[in-house]
Amino acid sequence: MQRRLMMACVIAVALGALFGSSASAATTATSKLTAVSGSGTGTLAVATTAEDHGTLAAQIDANVQGTSPNITFSVQRALDLTPNGTCDSLGAYEEQGTLTTSNGGAGAVHIERHTFAPSGLTFDVKFQLVGSDGSVLQSDCMTITVK
């Protein structure tokens, strides 16, 4: 009997740890990056966490390849506060960080952002990477929810 009780306690603690950590787990939206001018491709991912309740805590990862060598990209995002998945009411693009490519025309950057936003707020976002050589890589529209 004591053995069953002990086993039940171990299982309860394990389940509590598993489900307790899911409240702070990240939610990730990903998109390919497509050249609208110039050359190159890539991917962009936005992961939001409940790290700071009442704050949008986002990790942005972008990587590119096949671009011009040794150029700097401005990583920019525009918001659409009507979350319908179409990004048809985008605001102005704002710089979030920069990415510099290698001699081979590839590069990656990790950007961390913390912005006041109420938990549960949902919005659409689109990213563009604007290169110092005039090239522009653009993401698809992504829908993000603040944890």
Side-chain angles (χ1 to χ4, degrees):
M1 183 63 136
Q2 280 186 321
R3 191 166 211 205
R4 284 185 184 172
L5 181 58
M6 180 62 112
M7 184 60 89
C9 288
V10 168
I11 291 171
V13 168
L15 289 173
L18 175 67
F19 291 113
S21 66
S22 69
S24 62
T27 301
T28 304
T30 60
S31 173
K32 64 182 188 265
L33 292 170
T34 305
V36 293
S37 69
S39 61
T41 60
T43 59
L44 187 128
V46 179
T48 62
T49 68
E51 178 181 329
D52 298 324
H53 187 68
T55 298
L56 171 62
Q59 309 287 322
I60 303 163
D61 290 300
N63 70 71
V64 298
Q65 57 276 336
T67 69
S68 298
N70 305 310
I71 62 166
T72 299
F73 281 96
S74 170
V75 179
Q76 304 172 356
R77 65 112 175 101
L79 301 178
D80 178 349
L81 297 178
T82 306
N84 58 12
T86 61
C87 287
D88 53 1
S89 299
L90 288 173
Y93 279 95
E94 297 176 1
E95 184 172 292
Q96 304 299 296
T98 59
L99 178 158
T100 301
T101 62
S102 66
N103 289 336
V109 66
H110 174 82
I111 302 165
E112 189 171 320
R113 301 290 297 179
H114 294 261
T115 305
F116 172 76
S119 293
L121 175 69
T122 301
F123 58 91
D124 288 339
V125 64
K126 193 169 203 171
F127 285 84
Q128 66 179 14
L129 280 64
V130 179
S132 55
D133 67 346
S135 59
V136 177
L137 304 178
Q138 201 167 68
S139 76
D140 296 327
C141 184
M142 296 178 279
T143 301
I144 306 293
T145 300
V146 178
K147 291 229 162 209

